[in-house]
Amino acid sequence: QVQLVESGGGLVQAGGSLRVSCTASGRTFSFYTMGWFRQAPGKQREFVAAITWNGYSTYYADSVKGRFTISKDNAKNTVYLEMNSLKPEDTAIYYCAARRGYSSVPYYYTGAYDYWGQGTQVTVSS
């Protein structure tokens, strides 16, 4: 009923930029928060950024603040993560996630989200 599909990953040189996208299908009108997480090999999935349904509030992990920008296009049911000044440590599989309504679990925890995409690989070379 709900599907999230990420795209736009690839190989980028350090200092470069890349934009990944997450397109939602199905009953998406009730989504309250959309988030981006990433997971590197051997590490836990970590929070990257989040945006509220109206796009007015955004949140970023300290590690990406000032370099990454999350945005959304409601007409396309798509959330974007623009990544600038990429570093090798940004290399990971990037996942988008969505949650419906209010949750007592903070937005930066994976447990706050109801739906997940399949992920898109972002590799930053030195």
Side-chain angles (χ1 to χ4, degrees):
Q1 295 185 10
V2 175
Q3 186 177 24
L4 305 178
V5 179
E6 301 95 335
S7 62
L11 176 63
V12 184
Q13 293 183 337
S17 300
L18 193 68
R19 186 176 73 168
V20 292
S21 303
C22 174
T23 299
S25 62
R27 296 176 61 85
T28 62
F29 61 89
S30 62
F31 287 172
Y32 182 76
T33 304
M34 298 291 294
W36 283 98
F37 290 75
R38 66 187 183 186
Q39 187 167 22
K43 294 187 176 182
Q44 294 185 344
R45 192 168 299 186
E46 67 173 352
F47 169 75
V48 177
I51 187 169
T52 56
W53 71 271
N54 56 19
Y56 292 162
S57 298
T58 57
Y59 311 91
Y60 298 94
D62 290 341
S63 60
V64 305
K65 192 175 183 64
R67 299 188 297 120
F68 291 11
T69 302
I70 187 171
S71 62
K72 65 187 305 186
D73 185 337
N74 289 339
K76 297 181 178 180
N77 286 331
T78 300
V79 177
Y80 304 95
L81 183 69
E82 183 177 355
M83 301 176 286
N84 300 310
S85 301
L86 283 163
K87 306 174 181 179
E89 50 263 44
D90 294 318
T91 296
I93 299 176
Y94 283 71
Y95 299 90
C96 69
R99 73 178 183 185
R100 298 186 182 276
Y102 172 80
S103 176
S104 61
V105 181
Y107 59 86
Y108 47 84
Y109 286 163
T110 59
Y113 296 86
D114 302 299
Y115 305 99
W116 292 86
Q118 83 288 352
T120 185
Q121 177 70 47
V122 173
T123 302
V124 184
S125 62
S126 300

